[in-house]
Amino acid sequence: MTALYDNLNLVYHRQRWGSDRLDDSQEIFQQLAERIILDLHPGSVLDVGCGSGALVRALRQRGVDAWGTDDPGTSIQAFIPEFQAFCQLASVLEPLPQSHYDLIVCIDVLEHVSNEHTAQVVENLCSHADQILFSCIPLEVGAGPHANVQPPEAWAEIFYRFGFQHDLDYDSSFIAPWAMRFVRTQLALKDRIQLYERKLWQLSQEVSLRRELAVEYKLELAKKEMDLQSWKPQHLQAELDAIRNSTSWRIITRFQRLREWLIPPGSRRETFMRRIFYGFSVLHREGVKGFIALSVARSKSKIEIQSSRLRNRYRLRHAKVSGTGQSCSIAAVEVRPPLTAHTCSVDIIICVHNALKDVQHCLASLFENTTQPYHLILVDDGSDSPTAQYLHEFSEAHPALLLRSDTATGYPSAANRGMQASTAEFVVLLNSDTILTPAWLDRLATCIQTDPAIGMVGPLSNTASWQSVPRIEDDGDWASNPLPAGLSPAGMSDLVASKSARLYPDMPLLNGFCLMIRRKLLDQVGYFDDVGFSQGYGEEDDLVLRARKQGWKMALADDVYIYHAQSKSYSTEKRIALAERAQKVLREKHGEKIIAQGVKFCRQAPVLEGIRARAQVAFERDQCIRRCRQFAGKKLLFILPVNCSGGGANVIRSESIAMQQMGVEVSFYNQPANRAGFEMAYPDLAQSVIYGEAEYLPAVARNFDVVIATYNPTVSWLKQLDTLDSHPILGYYIQGFEPLMYVKGSQAYNIALESYSLLENIRLISKTDWTRQQVQRASGRECRVIGPSVDIDLNRPRPRTSPLWPVGPLKLTAMIRPESPYREPRKTLELLQRAVEKYKGEVEANLFGTPPDNPAFLELSLGFPWKMYGVLNPSQVAHLLSQTDIFIDYSSHQAMGLTAMEAMACGCGVIVPHNGGASSYAVHEKNSLIVDCSSFENVWSALQRLIQDEGLRNRLQHNAIHDICAFYPERAALNILQTLFTG
């Protein structure tokens, strides 16, 4: 990683000496905090020479116990106001505030300390921590008093006096080229020599390899430039005109028109035609006997599935069901611990058959992105002379074992030789046409070690059959998923990892391009079948199926992305032939049923669809963040006087996180009385919260560029800001037409209605065009529509936890809020009662949104079995919806309907009201059912369709998962910032 888009030494320097605004460099400290946490995982940190306290703030916002100290003689005006309690002015010669820290950060400090005090300061730092992240400018740069400029080796010698060694394996260059990490250790002389020699050797080998690749890239670039210069657009146009004027083109065009007339695309006739063609292809591949056997097997499978459904339906209808409602609880979604470097022993096996350039690129990426410990085993399976010679020279110069076969034996046999030579706890089988990405091995190892029953794991890729993202198929073939322009494999890997929930879903099949395998599995199950799959293709499926029969589980490491260039070892024709042969052998060994079930899961599983859908928009989200860098340093304050989680607060929270990624500082203003409930509802807020009454707002608002009201009574709070000499931009975030929530003519109704026209110089923002129209009609004021949004990182399909799934009862979920009449709580319960009584045992009614002992709810609850989960925070809602099949919103209107969006993102089939703004994301019969909720029978009919029609339900769920991801928070955040700052 480069030096965080700037040199942190210079940033600290400019802040300390008063020539740099804190806002201008906020992004740098945010990234520095992220890197420190990801790499070093400290619980407590002291930033010596903290400047204005920007790093302290960034670390504390991420849950680290961070403190700061700076010399009282510097020209710091003041620490960041809300973090003054965690920073102090003190000399680095004085004892530090606490006795011990997990990490001390010391950047651009000691060059200002006189030479005679240097050793005393270093001793002081070393006595308070076991690791120190240190940087000191080794030459005069810019203005400022540099009393003690020394080269890095001089600092290393000083720290060594006090028992600290420069950690050569840690790359601190993200701070500055001369930055170092010192750790408490005292190695013997021979150990230090070995350490330095090993590092020097590794660097020299890496430099040599990079030079070779650089020469190749230059030659390839020169050739492409020559080709580009010789290419003329008119040549291409002439060829195109010749094709269009040819007889064959006219014949093909007429034939295509005839085909579209006889067999319209998307029609039943086209479906029937495709089945006919598929039948002929199977007949050609399998022969008459195989065709009949396969047809019989598939018919039996369909009969078994239908019989199973009938039996399951009978069982559910006659199962014992609770006759009363019950209070239930649900945990928040699981958050896995931070990633750590692997410590287990790993052998990486790369089988090679020619394709020299791919091999070189693969090995270069291996050295660049793989952390120790690991051992490399190269298996040369009969490569031609250039590749064989390269591998021989490579193994001589690097710590790698080379196994050479003079003739090609096929991938399964070559892989077996490598695995038999391995002694490590884990084996990684890696294709030679892959490009590895940062932390790939650490992430694979973390995944496989989460459960001792996991025997094999695989990563995501651009082309790896079922593990491909964002698409698995394209025009009837495997998708190639080229990277967006300007995005490298490492860049795509960062996007995938940053948006991953690390679900590690179980997989019935895994692609063999990259596999981490547990040694115990190989000892029990054996190696690849190199007889039945002698030339490759299908051998990994066979091993997976054999392992599953022995009780092993397979998992997808959904936070790992490895680029797959697709092997040049086989031609396309040979690859197709091998794949067809493999399918036949697999069916003979394991049967059609288990393979068909595995393929169906890989193709349709909601968890996998959710992963693909989020990968589809990952690059767009990143570009959205980059477009907003123009607003970096701006400070926004949302007035959010709430004491519990709710749709409006959830939206603002997720969009604020997106703004913070854009470099915008976001804070919330809440009332002290709400503090306990608010912090319980949002225990992991990334935004700072300022608690105060309405009259204190002007004093706080001086420090912000924008202040935004989010609830109609708070618009009047903004009137106070007119008295400020230079008041901030005023905004009103209108998430719904709030007068509809009150009795017409009441005081609350009038306040809500007047809020839209209360201030002339306020910028109105609405989520949907429906809300915009309501405000315009009622007040004559125009709103800027920023569009719906939903937190698609939190709300996503997750593995089902019910032991009965997918044969258990369908889970119907609805939000019940008796205090909100427009949500129609009584009608919602009546609808669920009718469903439970008609489909006894086949459906289950789940409720949330109000305490189970709420008297208003108890008055509504009817005599049927239900489960009430109470008031949930966003993480609990996401967990409940991920276990839900159908979500029902029976509101009389919905300005947007966030919970329905969350349900769609979690993979539910949803029913939403026609009246309101749901149509801004919901499409009837495509990803949802939009219903006129003024008629009970309309809603009941829609619910029956979703319960009874599995095909409809699955189609809506599938489309909802993909469609809703277009409404990521970054897009709405961009629209908000553009509205506020550009008008």
Side-chain angles (χ1 to χ4, degrees), residues 244 249 278 459 653 750 756 795 836 930 936:
R244 288 177 172 172
W249 176 264
Y278 176 74
R653 171 176 171 268
N750 292 331
Y756 306 124
N795 298 282
V836 168
I930 302 177
F936 183 90

Side-chain angles (χ1 to χ4, degrees), residues 346-351 362 366 370 411 419 427-437 439-445 447-448 455-465 467 507 509-517 528 539-540 543-544 554-557 560-566:
V346 180
D347 284 337
I348 300 175
I349 301 170
I350 303 178
C351 298
C362 177
L366 175 72
T370 312
Y411 177 80
M419 289 189 286
V427 170
V428 174
L429 288 176
L430 187 66
N431 277 19
S432 61
D433 57 352
T434 53
I435 302 295
L436 300 169
T437 54
W440 72 278
L441 186 57
D442 296 330
R443 294 185 182 280
L444 286 178
C447 175
I448 201 169
M456 299 169 65
V457 301
L460 300 170
S461 181
N462 59 308
T463 172
S465 59
Q467 292 152 237
M507 294 289 288
L509 299 169
L510 285 173
N511 189 285
F513 88 107
C514 176
L515 285 174
M516 174 173 269
I517 309 175
F528 288 144
E539 73 281 350
E540 74 272 31
L543 180 62
V544 166
M554 317 299 136
L556 174 65
V560 187
Y561 178 91
I562 295 177
Y563 188 79
H564 189 197
Q566 276 289 29

Side-chain angles (χ1 to χ4, degrees), residues 922-934:
V923 181
H924 186 55
E925 297 281 354
K926 181 179 181 291
N927 57 28
S928 60
L929 295 182
I930 302 177
V931 183
D932 179 1
C933 292
S934 64

Side-chain angles (χ1 to χ4, degrees), residues 10-80:
L10 298 180
V11 172
Y12 268 92
H13 183 280
R14 291 195 299 265
Q15 280 197 17
R16 188 167 294 110
W17 296 95
S19 61
D20 200 19
R21 286 185 64 222
L22 176 63
D23 293 344
D24 296 335
S25 53
Q26 177 186 356
E27 180 182 354
I28 295 176
F29 291 102
Q30 297 291 338
Q31 294 185 41
L32 176 59
E34 290 284 356
R35 186 64 184 266
I36 288 173
I37 294 170
L38 178 65
D39 291 356
L40 306 179
H41 316 294
S44 59
V45 175
L46 175 67
D47 184 11
V48 175
C50 63
S52 300
L55 180 59
V56 174
R57 173 178 61 181
L59 288 168
R60 282 196 165 269
Q61 287 175 341
R62 290 161 174 78
V64 177
D65 184 22
W67 300 83
T69 180
D70 212 322
D71 195 314
T74 62
S75 60
I76 296 177
Q77 296 297 320
F79 296 118
I80 300 172

Side-chain angles (χ1 to χ4, degrees), residues 235-420:
H235 293 169
L236 181 60
Q237 186 63 46
E239 292 181 10
L240 182 60
D241 292 340
I243 292 172
R244 288 177 172 172
N245 294 328
S246 65
T247 303
S248 58
W249 176 264
R250 289 195 293 269
I251 294 173
I252 291 172
T253 302
R254 290 173 182 173
F255 179 78
Q256 180 67 22
R257 291 172 181 169
L258 178 62
R259 185 265 187 201
E260 292 176 355
W261 179 69
L262 292 174
I263 309 172
S267 65
R268 293 183 179 180
R269 278 178 279 179
E270 184 183 46
T271 303
F272 179 73
M273 181 188 72
R274 291 186 180 277
R275 289 178 179 175
I276 293 293
F277 284 154
Y278 176 74
F280 278 121
S281 67
V282 172
L283 183 62
H284 178 265
R285 183 179 72 237
E286 305 287 341
V288 176
K289 185 177 179 181
F291 175 79
I292 295 173
L294 185 60
S295 300
V296 170
R298 292 190 173 178
S299 298
K300 285 183 178 179
S301 177
K302 289 182 179 179
I303 293 172
E304 288 181 6
I305 292 173
Q306 191 61 31
S307 299
S308 176
R309 287 175 179 169
L310 293 173
R311 289 195 303 270
N312 182 59
R313 183 176 181 183
Y314 179 85
R315 177 182 62 81
L316 291 174
R317 278 190 168 275
H318 292 82
K320 185 177 180 180
V321 179
S322 173
T324 59
Q326 55 182 306
S327 175
C328 298
S329 62
I330 190 164
V333 296
E334 179 184 6
V335 178
R336 298 192 184 274
L339 182 71
T340 57
H342 77 282
T343 57
C344 55
S345 60
V346 180
D347 284 337
I348 300 175
I349 301 170
I350 303 178
C351 298
V352 180
H353 179 72
N354 297 322
L356 177 57
K357 285 190 177 181
D358 282 342
V359 176
Q360 291 172 326
H361 296 164
C362 177
L363 292 175
S365 69
L366 175 72
F367 277 105
E368 183 175 359
N369 297 298
T370 312
T371 56
Q372 293 287 356
Y374 71 89
H375 180 236
L376 180 60
I377 300 175
L378 298 171
V379 184
D380 181 0
D381 191 36
S383 295
D384 295 339
S385 179
T387 305
Q389 181 66 23
Y390 173 82
L391 293 175
H392 174 74
E393 294 174 355
F394 183 91
S395 63
E396 290 288 322
H398 297 78
L401 172 64
L402 176 62
L403 305 176
R404 163 74 180 173
S405 173
D406 292 331
T407 58
T409 60
Y411 177 80
S413 179
N416 283 348
R417 292 199 300 277
M419 289 189 286
Q420 289 161 1

